[in-house]
Amino acid sequence: MKKCILVSGGAGFIGSHVTVELIDAGYDVIVADNMSNCDMTCFEGVKKITGRGDIPFVKMDFCDAVATELLFTTNHIDAVIHFAGFKAVGESVSEPLQYYQNNLDSFMNVLESARHHGCDNILFSSSATVYGEPEKLPVTEESPRQPATSPYGNTKQILEDVLRDSVQAYSNVKGIALRYFNPVGAHPSALIGELPRGVPNNLVPFITQTAIGKRECLSIFGNDYPTPDGTCQRDFIDIVDLAKAHVFAVRRMLEGKMKKEYEIFNVGTGKPLSVLELITAFQEATGVKLNYKFAPRRAGDVTAIWADPSLANQELGWKAERPIKDTLAAAWAWEKHLAGK
């Protein structure tokens, strides 16, 4: 009998790519999303890519404890991958209460219902933001978590602790936290990708929207950081590579291969790129010249962060593989697909 994975927030950017990889790996998937930051575009794309028109979809809000309980009552679920959270650093600084309420309530409702219904395996979508402004680079899973630089980052720290404490308290619960670095790109089919509502909060959608003419100019927030070119450095990881890491992690849980009841893995490339380097790579990959300008630093941004992914490489058997130019070419193909070009 196939194992069934619940993907909360599964109609969004990361969730849709993970759903594709789970189905490709032979799992049954239930997608649930309140559609607060997406529409059905990517879910429909998932059905086309997989050839599965029958993927169960539930429109619901995981902040609703009754709806969450009903979902687990009416479905047999073997594992949960939780994406249902707000994720914009800048917005979290201006709207902290929204972030604390949504991100904390939704995950705790999932944990509560999962453990009551014998769903032992919880995979949490965490973030490199838990490292704050790191003292030493690259960061490993043993690197100390620094004070969060944004409410968004703080919710990730808090929820990692919630999962750790739940694993310790409830004998039937196992958990893995995947600390993402900077997911970018789109599926090679150009049928799913990042689809922000309104003005993008992430860099690559702003790049592609500027390139295609939706945005007049790309703002680079800060060119006076203590980095080689003055712009922030990040670990940009291809979205398909990132999605595949979830399959390895879920399989590890379901096959009883975890070495501890709660595990943490960095999901990154281990190769830093500055914002300017990413822009240059995009221009080289697409042949499109970008109009950009420098702007003041943005609240909540750290100077530089990139992963040491060796633990995930060794324990999960996973490794980031796609070159950044291929990643950016896919993001551009997705943008053109949206524009009907």
Side-chain angles (χ1 to χ4, degrees), residues 206-215 282 288-290 332:
F206 217 116
I207 287 175
T208 59
Q209 289 190 11
T210 302
I212 210 162
K214 287 183 183 177
R215 307 287 165 192
F282 176 83
V288 179
K289 179 76 173 174
L290 277 177
W332 180 229

Side-chain angles (χ1 to χ4, degrees), residues 12-326:
F13 175 43
I14 301 177
S16 60
H17 287 82
V18 169
T19 299
V20 168
E21 298 303 322
L22 288 169
I23 292 172
D24 189 53
Y27 294 105
D28 284 334
V29 178
I30 298 171
V31 172
D33 204 304
N34 70 356
M35 313 305 289
S36 65
N37 195 39
C38 61
D39 58 27
M40 294 299 285
T41 301
C42 284
F43 184 67
E44 293 300 324
V46 168
K47 292 195 286 188
K48 290 178 183 176
I49 293 167
T50 60
R52 288 278 305 276
D54 59 344
I55 303 168
F57 175 81
V58 181
K59 185 176 181 181
M60 58 164 291
D61 190 337
F62 286 93
C63 290
D64 183 337
V66 174
T68 305
E69 179 67 14
L70 180 62
L71 182 66
F72 280 87
T73 301
T74 54
N75 296 278
H76 175 79
I77 298 168
D78 296 288
V80 179
I81 304 178
H82 185 71
F83 296 110
F86 295 156
K87 62 184 181 63
V89 170
E91 184 182 57
S92 78
V93 173
S94 60
E95 297 289 349
L97 291 180
Q98 286 186 17
Y99 273 68
Y100 285 115
Q101 183 176 45
N102 181 79
N103 292 7
L104 273 59
D105 286 355
S106 62
F107 187 55
M108 288 190 289
N109 286 340
V110 165
L111 271 175
E112 187 76 5
S113 291
R115 74 182 187 88
H116 285 155
H117 290 275
C119 176
D120 302 347
N121 307 290
I122 311 295
L123 198 162
F124 176 57
S125 164
S126 191
S127 167
T129 56
V130 302
Y131 296 115
E133 190 81 57
E135 296 173 351
K136 184 180 178 181
L137 291 167
V139 291
T140 72
E141 290 80 0
E142 301 302 318
S143 297
R145 297 191 320 187
Q146 302 293 342
T149 59
S150 69
Y152 163 75
N154 200 28
T155 66
K156 293 298 186 183
Q157 291 185 346
I158 292 168
L159 291 174
E160 282 192 358
D161 294 345
V162 168
L163 181 56
R164 178 202 64 204
D165 293 346
S166 297
V167 165
Q168 290 175 352
Y170 310 122
S171 59
N172 66 315
V173 178
K174 300 187 294 295
I176 292 178
L178 296 183
R179 290 175 176 169
Y180 311 154
F181 281 69
N182 290 75
V184 291
H187 194 269
S189 67
L191 291 172
I192 58 175
E194 194 163 4
L195 187 59
R197 286 189 169 177
V199 179
N201 288 298
N202 293 337
L203 177 58
V204 170
F206 217 116
I207 287 175
T208 59
Q209 289 190 11
T210 302
I212 210 162
K214 287 183 183 177
R215 307 287 165 192
E216 182 178 342
C217 185
L218 169 69
S219 293
I220 299 175
F221 297 107
N223 64 339
D224 58 348
Y225 285 96
T227 61
D229 63 20
T231 64
C232 293
Q233 291 178 304
R234 295 290 184 268
D235 187 334
F236 295 101
I237 178 169
D238 186 273
I239 184 61
V240 176
D241 280 339
L242 178 84
K244 289 178 178 178
H246 295 73
V247 176
F248 284 85
V250 164
R251 185 180 295 135
R252 181 179 178 87
M253 288 194 292
L254 292 175
E255 294 181 357
K257 294 181 178 178
M258 294 174 65
K259 293 183 177 177
K260 297 182 292 184
E261 296 300 293
Y262 174 59
E263 296 181 331
I264 297 168
F265 297 101
N266 284 339
V267 183
T269 67
K271 301 172 184 176
L273 275 180
S274 73
V275 173
L276 275 178
E277 287 173 329
L278 188 77
I279 289 171
T280 299
F282 176 83
Q283 293 179 146
E284 291 175 352
T286 64
V288 179
K289 179 76 173 174
L290 277 177
N291 182 29
Y292 65 86
K293 65 181 180 181
F294 294 109
R297 292 187 184 190
R298 183 173 58 178
D301 282 341
V302 301
T303 300
I305 187 166
W306 64 91
D308 177 348
S310 56
L311 185 66
N313 300 161
Q314 295 161 10
E315 291 294 325
L316 296 180
W318 166 89
K319 188 175 183 180
E321 296 176 338
R322 282 173 63 81
I324 191 63
K325 287 186 181 179
D326 290 356

